[in-house]
Amino acid sequence: MQIKPEIAIREITPADYPHLENFLYHAIFIPPGEEYPKREIIYEPEIYIYIKDFGGKDDCGVIAEQDGKLIGAAWTRIIPAYGNIDTKTPELAISILPDSRGQGIGTNLMTHLFKLLKQRGYNRTSLSVQQNNPAVRFYKRLGYVVTDEKLDHDGNEDFIMVKMIMHNEKD
């Protein structure tokens, strides 16, 4: 029996910021049967905003690492992007590398990210997700609720979802 190396979840550091480009690319939802876009798609302004100049006062994130390799990231920013609802609510992005999906890493990342957001005094977080993305169920399990529907830049139907961060819950 092969034992899998332990996965460590930690707060993002400036040394991790260059890796956000790869995670941003892997965060793009590709419906079954469709081809992956060219990596350059992340440089489109409406996508690149999720990582451009990351590290500001409202930027927050966590990294999943296994055997010294970064395998997942979840981060939030207050930016004028798809899932933005106001100037006080950080918008979520999450990405797990394809070979590491389906192992509970996303839930682990999100649990740590919610604690970090709570420590920083945020009351909620938002996100935008295509309605046909299976991740909608994941977000609902984490406590996100659909608050709006709109079309993204490619005409896909998206949900805007919000999760309240409870400050009276135990960590």
Side-chain angles (χ1 to χ4, degrees), residues 7-8 23 63-66 69-73 95-98 100-101 103 105 109:
I7 297 167
F23 286 118
I63 293 287
E65 190 171 2
Q66 186 175 42
K69 179 183 176 194
L70 306 185
I71 59 170
S95 176
I96 312 298
L97 296 183
S100 299
R101 294 178 183 165
Q103 301 175 38
I105 298 166
L109 279 168

Side-chain angles (χ1 to χ4, degrees), residues 15-156:
D16 301 318
Y17 299 168
H19 299 280
L20 287 176
E21 285 190 359
N22 189 43
F23 286 118
L24 182 62
Y25 179 75
H26 287 288
I28 298 170
F29 172 62
I30 310 300
E34 288 192 23
E35 288 188 30
Y36 272 83
K38 292 182 179 176
R39 289 188 81 82
E40 291 76 29
I41 192 170
I42 68 165
Y43 298 109
E44 292 181 11
E46 60 273 2
I47 297 173
Y48 200 67
I49 192 170
Y50 286 90
I51 61 168
K52 183 180 181 194
D53 300 324
F54 190 87
K57 72 176 183 68
D58 291 315
D59 296 343
C60 183
V62 290
I63 293 287
E65 190 171 2
Q66 186 175 42
D67 276 348
K69 179 183 176 194
L70 306 185
I71 59 170
W75 66 97
T76 60
R77 309 188 80 183
I78 297 176
I79 50 175
Y82 299 119
N84 177 273
I85 58 171
D86 62 35
T87 59
K88 293 181 170 115
T89 305
E91 181 178 351
L92 170 79
I94 183 171
S95 176
I96 312 298
L97 296 183
D99 290 346
S100 299
R101 294 178 183 165
Q103 301 175 38
I105 298 166
T107 300
N108 205 348
L109 279 168
M110 295 299 287
T111 299
H112 283 78
L113 183 62
F114 295 148
K115 286 178 185 176
L116 195 54
L117 289 167
K118 180 179 168 181
Q119 290 169 3
R120 293 187 179 191
Y122 291 104
N123 295 314
R124 62 186 178 174
T125 179
S126 65
L127 61 86
S128 175
V129 60
Q130 286 183 24
Q131 292 180 18
N132 62 336
N133 186 333
V136 170
R137 290 187 306 277
F138 169 71
Y139 296 130
K140 286 181 177 179
R141 268 196 330 271
L142 293 171
Y144 281 88
V145 295
V146 175
T147 59
D148 199 5
E149 298 180 30
K150 66 181 186 180
L151 297 178
D152 70 12
H153 74 288
D154 284 333
N156 297 304

